[in-house]
Amino acid sequence: MPKLCDTKNELHKVLKVKTQCLTSLRASPFTKKKSTHQQINKMYQIIDGKKISEDIKLEIAAEVAEFVAKGGKKPCLAAILVGNDGGSETYVAHKVKACEQVGFDSVLIRFPETVSEIEIIEKVKEINNDNKIDGLIVQLPLPKHISEEKIIETINPEKDVDGFHPINVGRMLAGMPCYVSATPFGIMELLRRFKIETAGKHCVVVGRSNIVGRPMSILLSQKGNPGDATVTVCHSRTKNLAEITKTADILIAAMGKPDFITGEMVKNGAVVIDVGTTRVSSAETKSGWKLKGDVIFNEVAPKCSYITPVPGGVGPMTIVSLLGNTLKAAKREIYA
Ligand code: GUN
Protein backbone atom coordinates (compact mmCIF):
# COMPACT_ATOMS: atom_id res chain seq x y z
CA MET A 1 0.00 0.00 0.00
CA PRO A 2 1.61 3.34 -0.98
CA LYS A 3 1.84 6.00 1.68
CA LEU A 4 -0.65 8.81 1.28
CA CYS A 5 2.15 11.31 0.62
CA ASP A 6 3.51 9.12 -2.21
CA THR A 7 0.06 8.92 -3.70
CA LYS A 8 -0.26 12.66 -3.44
CA ASN A 9 3.06 13.13 -5.21
CA GLU A 10 1.83 10.92 -8.01
CA LEU A 11 -1.34 12.92 -8.23
CA HIS A 12 0.67 16.09 -8.57
CA LYS A 13 2.42 14.53 -11.56
CA VAL A 14 -0.79 13.26 -13.10
CA LEU A 15 -2.43 16.64 -12.89
CA LYS A 16 0.75 18.31 -14.20
CA VAL A 17 0.33 21.33 -12.00
CA LYS A 18 2.72 23.09 -9.75
CA THR A 19 1.37 23.68 -6.29
CA GLN A 20 1.19 27.39 -5.80
CA CYS A 21 -0.32 29.03 -2.80
CA LEU A 22 -3.23 31.31 -3.39
CA THR A 23 -1.29 34.36 -2.29
CA SER A 24 1.11 33.93 -5.17
CA LEU A 25 -1.82 33.31 -7.46
CA ARG A 26 -3.26 36.65 -6.48
CA ALA A 27 0.00 38.40 -7.24
CA SER A 28 1.61 39.49 -10.45
CA PRO A 29 1.23 36.71 -13.07
CA PHE A 30 -2.52 37.08 -13.10
CA THR A 31 -2.65 40.82 -12.66
CA LYS A 32 -2.92 42.66 -15.91
CA LYS A 33 -1.76 46.21 -16.32
CA LYS A 34 -3.31 47.92 -19.28
CA SER A 35 -1.50 51.13 -20.02
CA THR A 36 -4.14 52.23 -22.52
CA HIS A 37 -6.83 52.07 -19.88
CA GLN A 38 -4.90 53.34 -16.90
CA GLN A 39 -7.01 56.44 -16.44
CA ILE A 40 -10.09 54.26 -15.97
CA ASN A 41 -8.68 51.57 -13.75
CA LYS A 42 -5.01 50.90 -13.13
CA MET A 43 -5.42 47.17 -12.79
CA TYR A 44 -7.85 44.38 -12.92
CA GLN A 45 -7.37 40.88 -11.71
CA ILE A 46 -8.14 37.88 -13.82
CA ILE A 47 -10.08 35.30 -11.86
CA ASP A 48 -8.20 32.29 -13.15
CA GLY A 49 -10.73 29.50 -12.84
CA LYS A 50 -8.44 27.04 -14.56
CA LYS A 51 -5.74 27.44 -11.93
CA ILE A 52 -8.22 27.33 -9.04
CA SER A 53 -9.88 24.26 -10.53
CA GLU A 54 -6.51 22.51 -10.69
CA ASP A 55 -5.92 23.34 -7.02
CA ILE A 56 -9.35 21.91 -6.21
CA LYS A 57 -8.68 18.76 -8.24
CA LEU A 58 -5.60 18.19 -6.11
CA GLU A 59 -7.65 18.67 -2.96
CA ILE A 60 -10.32 16.24 -4.20
CA ALA A 61 -7.71 13.69 -5.34
CA ALA A 62 -6.07 13.79 -1.90
CA GLU A 63 -9.46 13.32 -0.22
CA VAL A 64 -10.28 10.38 -2.51
CA ALA A 65 -6.90 8.78 -1.78
CA GLU A 66 -7.51 9.14 1.95
CA PHE A 67 -11.07 7.81 1.68
CA VAL A 68 -9.94 4.78 -0.34
CA ALA A 69 -6.93 4.18 1.97
CA LYS A 70 -9.41 3.94 4.86
CA GLY A 71 -11.42 1.27 3.02
CA GLY A 72 -13.93 3.48 1.18
CA LYS A 73 -15.07 2.73 -2.35
CA LYS A 74 -13.72 4.78 -5.26
CA PRO A 75 -16.38 7.37 -6.16
CA CYS A 76 -18.15 6.60 -9.43
CA LEU A 77 -19.97 9.04 -11.72
CA ALA A 78 -22.31 7.91 -14.50
CA ALA A 79 -23.03 10.27 -17.39
CA ILE A 80 -25.81 9.83 -19.94
CA LEU A 81 -25.18 11.51 -23.28
CA VAL A 82 -27.87 11.60 -25.95
CA GLY A 83 -27.05 12.39 -29.58
CA ASN A 84 -23.91 13.93 -31.02
CA ASP A 85 -24.09 17.62 -30.20
CA GLY A 86 -20.51 18.91 -30.38
CA GLY A 87 -20.76 21.03 -27.23
CA SER A 88 -22.29 18.26 -25.13
CA GLU A 89 -19.71 15.76 -26.42
CA THR A 90 -16.90 18.09 -25.34
CA TYR A 91 -18.38 18.81 -21.90
CA VAL A 92 -18.97 15.14 -21.15
CA ALA A 93 -15.47 14.20 -22.38
CA HIS A 94 -14.02 16.81 -19.99
CA LYS A 95 -16.11 15.46 -17.11
CA VAL A 96 -14.98 11.87 -17.76
CA LYS A 97 -11.34 12.95 -18.01
CA ALA A 98 -11.59 14.96 -14.79
CA CYS A 99 -12.97 11.87 -13.02
CA GLU A 100 -9.91 9.92 -14.06
CA GLN A 101 -7.58 12.72 -12.90
CA VAL A 102 -8.90 12.68 -9.35
CA GLY A 103 -9.18 8.91 -9.02
CA PHE A 104 -12.90 8.40 -9.66
CA ASP A 105 -14.42 5.68 -11.78
CA SER A 106 -16.82 6.85 -14.46
CA VAL A 107 -19.35 5.26 -16.78
CA LEU A 108 -20.46 6.94 -20.00
CA ILE A 109 -23.77 5.76 -21.40
CA ARG A 110 -24.55 6.93 -24.92
CA PHE A 111 -27.87 6.95 -26.72
CA PRO A 112 -28.66 7.98 -30.29
CA GLU A 113 -30.68 11.16 -30.92
CA THR A 114 -33.68 8.93 -31.76
CA VAL A 115 -33.82 7.22 -28.33
CA SER A 116 -37.23 7.20 -26.68
CA GLU A 117 -38.02 8.92 -23.39
CA ILE A 118 -38.96 5.61 -21.79
CA GLU A 119 -35.57 4.06 -22.69
CA ILE A 120 -33.76 6.84 -20.86
CA ILE A 121 -36.12 6.61 -17.90
CA GLU A 122 -35.44 2.87 -17.68
CA LYS A 123 -31.67 3.50 -17.75
CA VAL A 124 -31.94 6.16 -15.04
CA LYS A 125 -33.93 3.75 -12.85
CA GLU A 126 -31.31 1.04 -13.42
CA ILE A 127 -28.55 3.43 -12.31
CA ASN A 128 -30.62 4.56 -9.31
CA ASN A 129 -30.51 0.94 -8.15
CA ASP A 130 -26.85 0.31 -8.95
CA ASN A 131 -24.79 0.50 -5.75
CA LYS A 132 -21.54 0.86 -7.68
CA ILE A 133 -22.65 4.26 -9.01
CA ASP A 134 -22.68 7.22 -6.61
CA GLY A 135 -23.68 10.07 -8.91
CA LEU A 136 -25.61 10.43 -12.16
CA ILE A 137 -25.82 13.26 -14.66
CA VAL A 138 -27.86 13.45 -17.82
CA GLN A 139 -26.18 15.95 -20.11
CA LEU A 140 -28.56 18.69 -21.24
CA PRO A 141 -30.04 19.76 -23.55
CA LEU A 142 -31.97 16.65 -24.56
CA PRO A 143 -33.70 16.22 -27.94
CA LYS A 144 -37.07 17.98 -28.13
CA HIS A 145 -39.14 14.77 -27.94
CA ILE A 146 -37.76 14.00 -24.47
CA SER A 147 -38.99 15.86 -21.40
CA GLU A 148 -35.98 17.05 -19.41
CA GLU A 149 -38.24 17.57 -16.41
CA LYS A 150 -39.42 13.93 -16.46
CA ILE A 151 -35.87 12.62 -16.77
CA ILE A 152 -34.56 14.84 -13.96
CA GLU A 153 -37.44 13.86 -11.69
CA THR A 154 -36.62 10.19 -12.26
CA ILE A 155 -33.07 10.59 -10.93
CA ASN A 156 -32.73 9.58 -7.29
CA PRO A 157 -32.07 12.93 -5.49
CA GLU A 158 -29.31 11.15 -3.54
CA LYS A 159 -27.46 10.57 -6.83
CA ASP A 160 -28.43 13.89 -8.45
CA VAL A 161 -24.93 15.41 -8.40
CA ASP A 162 -26.01 18.09 -10.90
CA GLY A 163 -28.40 19.38 -8.23
CA PHE A 164 -31.24 19.70 -10.78
CA HIS A 165 -33.86 17.52 -9.04
CA PRO A 166 -36.68 19.56 -7.43
CA ILE A 167 -35.79 18.00 -4.06
CA ASN A 168 -32.25 19.38 -4.26
CA VAL A 169 -33.46 22.72 -5.63
CA GLY A 170 -36.01 22.95 -2.80
CA ARG A 171 -33.43 22.05 -0.19
CA MET A 172 -31.09 24.70 -1.60
CA LEU A 173 -33.88 27.30 -1.35
CA ALA A 174 -34.47 26.30 2.26
CA GLY A 175 -30.73 26.47 3.03
CA MET A 176 -30.63 22.73 3.77
CA PRO A 177 -27.79 20.33 2.84
CA CYS A 178 -28.13 19.45 -0.85
CA TYR A 179 -26.28 19.09 -4.11
CA VAL A 180 -25.96 22.59 -5.53
CA SER A 181 -25.93 23.04 -9.29
CA ALA A 182 -22.30 22.93 -10.39
CA THR A 183 -21.91 26.26 -12.20
CA PRO A 184 -23.35 28.49 -9.44
CA PHE A 185 -21.44 26.47 -6.84
CA GLY A 186 -18.24 26.98 -8.84
CA ILE A 187 -18.85 30.73 -9.01
CA MET A 188 -19.42 30.88 -5.23
CA GLU A 189 -16.12 29.03 -4.80
CA LEU A 190 -14.30 31.55 -6.98
CA LEU A 191 -15.75 34.42 -4.92
CA ARG A 192 -14.73 32.59 -1.72
CA ARG A 193 -11.18 31.80 -2.83
CA PHE A 194 -10.56 35.30 -4.17
CA LYS A 195 -12.02 36.74 -0.96
CA ILE A 196 -14.40 38.94 -2.94
CA GLU A 197 -16.74 40.73 -0.54
CA THR A 198 -20.40 40.05 -1.31
CA ALA A 199 -22.13 41.12 1.94
CA GLY A 200 -24.29 44.17 1.30
CA LYS A 201 -23.15 44.37 -2.32
CA HIS A 202 -25.53 44.74 -5.22
CA CYS A 203 -25.27 41.62 -7.37
CA VAL A 204 -26.98 41.69 -10.73
CA VAL A 205 -27.60 38.31 -12.33
CA VAL A 206 -28.47 38.51 -16.02
CA GLY A 207 -30.25 35.27 -16.96
CA ARG A 208 -32.83 33.20 -15.07
CA SER A 209 -32.11 29.63 -16.17
CA ASN A 210 -32.68 26.75 -13.75
CA ILE A 211 -29.04 25.70 -14.21
CA VAL A 212 -27.29 29.03 -13.54
CA GLY A 213 -29.17 32.32 -13.12
CA ARG A 214 -31.90 31.31 -10.70
CA PRO A 215 -29.76 29.22 -8.29
CA MET A 216 -27.04 31.88 -8.47
CA SER A 217 -29.47 34.55 -7.31
CA ILE A 218 -30.56 32.37 -4.38
CA LEU A 219 -27.03 31.52 -3.24
CA LEU A 220 -25.85 35.13 -3.37
CA SER A 221 -28.80 36.34 -1.31
CA GLN A 222 -28.53 33.60 1.34
CA LYS A 223 -26.89 34.24 4.69
CA GLY A 224 -23.19 33.46 4.68
CA ASN A 225 -19.89 34.27 3.09
CA PRO A 226 -20.08 34.53 0.15
CA GLY A 227 -23.70 35.60 0.33
CA ASP A 228 -25.65 38.32 2.17
CA ALA A 229 -25.88 40.24 -1.10
CA THR A 230 -28.76 42.30 -2.45
CA VAL A 231 -29.63 40.56 -5.69
CA THR A 232 -31.42 41.71 -8.83
CA VAL A 233 -32.30 39.14 -11.49
CA CYS A 234 -32.59 40.47 -15.06
CA HIS A 235 -33.75 38.60 -18.14
CA SER A 236 -34.90 39.00 -21.73
CA ARG A 237 -38.00 41.02 -20.71
CA THR A 238 -36.16 43.39 -18.37
CA LYS A 239 -36.55 47.04 -19.27
CA ASN A 240 -33.55 49.41 -19.10
CA LEU A 241 -31.15 46.51 -18.62
CA ALA A 242 -28.02 48.67 -18.96
CA GLU A 243 -29.32 51.07 -16.27
CA ILE A 244 -29.51 48.11 -13.89
CA THR A 245 -26.24 46.40 -14.83
CA LYS A 246 -24.46 49.74 -14.33
CA THR A 247 -25.44 49.63 -10.67
CA ALA A 248 -23.90 46.18 -10.11
CA ASP A 249 -20.97 45.76 -7.74
CA ILE A 250 -20.92 42.15 -8.93
CA LEU A 251 -22.31 41.32 -12.37
CA ILE A 252 -23.04 37.72 -13.34
CA ALA A 253 -23.57 37.44 -17.09
CA ALA A 254 -25.43 34.19 -17.74
CA MET A 255 -27.77 34.67 -20.68
CA GLY A 256 -25.79 32.76 -23.32
CA LYS A 257 -25.61 35.71 -25.75
CA PRO A 258 -22.06 36.24 -27.00
CA ASP A 259 -20.62 39.76 -26.55
CA PHE A 260 -23.85 41.04 -24.98
CA ILE A 261 -22.31 42.97 -22.08
CA THR A 262 -20.47 46.06 -23.31
CA GLY A 263 -18.14 48.38 -21.43
CA GLU A 264 -20.91 50.97 -21.09
CA MET A 265 -23.06 48.51 -19.16
CA VAL A 266 -20.51 48.08 -16.35
CA LYS A 267 -19.67 50.27 -13.37
CA ASN A 268 -16.04 51.15 -12.63
CA GLY A 269 -14.52 48.70 -10.16
CA ALA A 270 -17.17 46.01 -10.69
CA VAL A 271 -16.52 42.29 -10.38
CA VAL A 272 -17.65 40.62 -13.60
CA ILE A 273 -18.33 36.89 -13.87
CA ASP A 274 -18.86 35.69 -17.43
CA VAL A 275 -20.78 32.41 -17.60
CA GLY A 276 -21.23 32.48 -21.39
CA THR A 277 -19.72 29.64 -23.40
CA THR A 278 -21.21 29.90 -26.87
CA ARG A 279 -19.42 28.08 -29.68
CA VAL A 280 -18.79 30.44 -32.58
CA SER A 281 -17.01 29.62 -35.82
CA SER A 282 -13.42 30.79 -35.97
CA ALA A 283 -10.73 30.80 -38.63
CA GLU A 284 -8.09 31.07 -35.88
CA THR A 285 -8.51 27.57 -34.44
CA LYS A 286 -7.87 24.09 -35.84
CA SER A 287 -11.31 22.93 -34.78
CA GLY A 288 -12.96 25.78 -36.68
CA TRP A 289 -14.73 27.10 -33.58
CA LYS A 290 -13.98 28.88 -30.33
CA LEU A 291 -15.84 29.65 -27.12
CA LYS A 292 -17.21 33.14 -26.67
CA GLY A 293 -18.40 34.66 -23.45
CA ASP A 294 -21.38 36.95 -22.85
CA VAL A 295 -19.00 39.83 -22.05
CA ILE A 296 -16.87 41.86 -24.46
CA PHE A 297 -13.71 41.25 -22.46
CA ASN A 298 -11.50 43.95 -24.01
CA GLU A 299 -14.08 46.66 -23.33
CA VAL A 300 -15.21 45.50 -19.92
CA ALA A 301 -12.00 44.28 -18.25
CA PRO A 302 -10.35 47.72 -17.94
CA LYS A 303 -13.32 48.90 -15.87
CA CYS A 304 -13.28 45.92 -13.53
CA SER A 305 -11.60 45.07 -10.27
CA TYR A 306 -11.92 41.36 -11.10
CA ILE A 307 -13.10 39.52 -14.20
CA THR A 308 -13.33 35.90 -15.36
CA PRO A 309 -11.97 35.07 -18.83
CA VAL A 310 -13.64 32.77 -21.38
CA PRO A 311 -12.35 30.15 -21.66
CA GLY A 312 -10.57 29.42 -18.38
CA GLY A 313 -12.90 31.19 -15.95
CA VAL A 314 -16.18 29.64 -14.86
CA GLY A 315 -16.09 26.57 -17.17
CA PRO A 316 -13.38 24.58 -15.33
CA MET A 317 -15.07 25.39 -12.01
CA THR A 318 -18.29 23.74 -13.17
CA ILE A 319 -16.43 20.49 -13.72
CA VAL A 320 -14.67 20.47 -10.35
CA SER A 321 -17.92 21.32 -8.57
CA LEU A 322 -19.46 18.25 -10.16
CA LEU A 323 -16.50 16.22 -8.90
CA GLY A 324 -17.01 17.70 -5.43
CA ASN A 325 -20.68 16.71 -5.46
CA THR A 326 -19.78 13.19 -6.60
CA LEU A 327 -17.30 12.84 -3.75
CA LYS A 328 -19.99 14.01 -1.29
CA ALA A 329 -22.32 11.39 -2.80
CA ALA A 330 -19.71 8.64 -2.38
CA LYS A 331 -19.15 9.70 1.23
CA ARG A 332 -22.93 10.00 1.84
CA GLU A 333 -22.37 13.51 3.19
CA ILE A 334 -25.68 15.05 2.09
CA TYR A 335 -28.13 12.19 2.55
CA ALA A 336 -26.74 9.98 5.30
N1 GUN B 1 -25.73 21.41 -19.89
C1 GUN B 1 -25.16 22.61 -19.65
N2 GUN B 1 -24.68 22.66 -18.39
C2 GUN B 1 -24.94 21.47 -17.81
C3 GUN B 1 -24.68 20.93 -16.53
O1 GUN B 1 -24.12 21.57 -15.63
N3 GUN B 1 -25.10 19.64 -16.33
C4 GUN B 1 -25.75 18.94 -17.31
N4 GUN B 1 -26.15 17.70 -17.00
N5 GUN B 1 -26.01 19.42 -18.50
C5 GUN B 1 -25.61 20.68 -18.76
Side-chain angles (χ1 to χ4, degrees):
M1 172 81 66
K3 281 192 295 193
L4 186 57
C5 59
D6 294 338
T7 319
K8 267 172 118 177
N9 287 339
E10 283 308 305
L11 289 164
H12 275 72
K13 280 186 212 154
V14 172
L15 289 166
K16 292 195 184 112
V17 292
K18 285 180 229 134
T19 40
Q20 281 179 319
C21 68
L22 195 54
T23 31
S24 72
L25 172 78
R26 288 166 63 87
S28 55
F30 300 93
T31 305
K32 303 271 173 174
K33 286 187 184 176
K34 291 262 168 164
S35 55
T36 48
H37 299 290
Q38 271 180 351
Q39 284 111 317
I40 306 169
N41 187 19
K42 274 200 191 115
M43 292 187 183
Y44 59 90
Q45 282 204 11
I46 296 280
I47 300 180
D48 187 340
K50 185 152 174 34
K51 170 71 180 68
I52 299 280
S53 73
E54 282 166 355
D55 290 343
I56 296 174
K57 277 190 207 164
L58 285 175
E59 292 163 17
I60 292 175
E63 208 177 317
V64 172
E66 192 181 343
F67 184 60
V68 172
K70 287 182 179 159
K73 182 187 78 63
K74 255 184 167 191
C76 180
L77 174 70
I80 295 181
L81 175 59
V82 179
N84 298 97
D85 172 74
S88 294
E89 292 262 2
T90 308
Y91 291 133
V92 171
H94 283 147
K95 290 171 186 179
V96 168
K97 184 171 167 218
C99 281
E100 196 184 315
Q101 288 176 326
V102 297
F104 290 3
D105 286 329
S106 64
V107 184
L108 172 58
I109 300 129
R110 305 190 67 124
F111 286 105
E113 186 86 14
T114 51
V115 67
S116 68
E117 190 175 275
I118 193 70
E119 277 178 275
I120 301 186
I121 287 178
E122 288 308 318
K123 179 53 83 177
V124 168
K125 286 182 178 167
E126 185 188 313
I127 294 172
N128 284 345
N129 293 320
D130 184 342
N131 290 334
K132 292 188 291 304
I133 294 174
D134 302 296
L136 166 63
I137 60 163
V138 179
Q139 187 65 28
L140 304 180
L142 291 170
K144 294 236 169 350
H145 65 279
I146 298 169
S147 158
E148 291 183 354
E149 276 177 18
K150 269 196 202 164
I151 303 298
I152 289 167
E153 277 204 282
T154 308
I155 299 173
N156 176 354
E158 300 183 16
K159 295 195 179 188
D160 168 41
V161 287
D162 258 332
F164 293 168
H165 192 287
I167 295 273
N168 281 311
V169 176
R171 290 175 72 119
M172 182 197 64
L173 271 172
M176 290 165 67
C178 63
Y179 298 114
V180 176
S181 177
T183 301
F185 188 87
I187 294 169
M188 294 298 274
E189 194 61 26
L190 286 177
L191 297 172
R192 186 178 297 121
R193 293 196 181 223
F194 273 82
K195 298 189 166 50
I196 291 170
E197 183 71 81
T198 54
K201 301 289 177 178
H202 184 207
C203 295
V204 175
V205 180
V206 190
R208 55 179 160 180
S209 69
N210 287 345
I211 295 183
V212 185
R214 204 179 298 277
M216 195 70 243
S217 67
I218 304 298
L219 295 172
L220 285 166
S221 63
Q222 273 175 346
K223 282 190 183 199
N225 182 21
D228 287 329
T230 305
V231 181
T232 303
V233 181
C234 300
H235 46 77
S236 52
R237 303 297 297 270
T238 297
K239 294 207 171 90
N240 304 324
L241 180 70
E243 295 306 310
I244 300 169
T245 57
K246 258 190 278 186
T247 66
D249 301 308
I250 299 173
L251 178 63
I252 315 277
M255 55 282 176
K257 291 192 179 154
D259 287 346
F260 188 85
I261 302 288
T262 64
E264 284 184 351
M265 296 169 80
V266 177
K267 176 166 94 171
N268 271 339
V271 175
V272 173
I273 307 290
D274 188 351
V275 187
T277 48
T278 307
R279 277 184 169 209
V280 295
S281 51
S282 166
E284 299 154 28
T285 61
K286 260 198 234 158
S287 61
W289 58 267
K290 66 175 181 181
L291 288 181
K292 225 176 203 309
D294 287 353
V295 174
I296 304 180
F297 185 91
N298 290 339
E299 273 186 29
V300 172
K303 298 183 85 173
C304 293
S305 51
Y306 293 88
I307 185 166
T308 58
V310 175
V314 172
M317 293 302 291
T318 298
I319 294 184
V320 290
S321 303
L322 175 68
L323 296 176
N325 280 347
T326 306
L327 181 56
K328 285 181 190 146
K331 293 177 123 183
R332 309 286 183 266
E333 277 182 12
I334 306 287
Y335 298 93

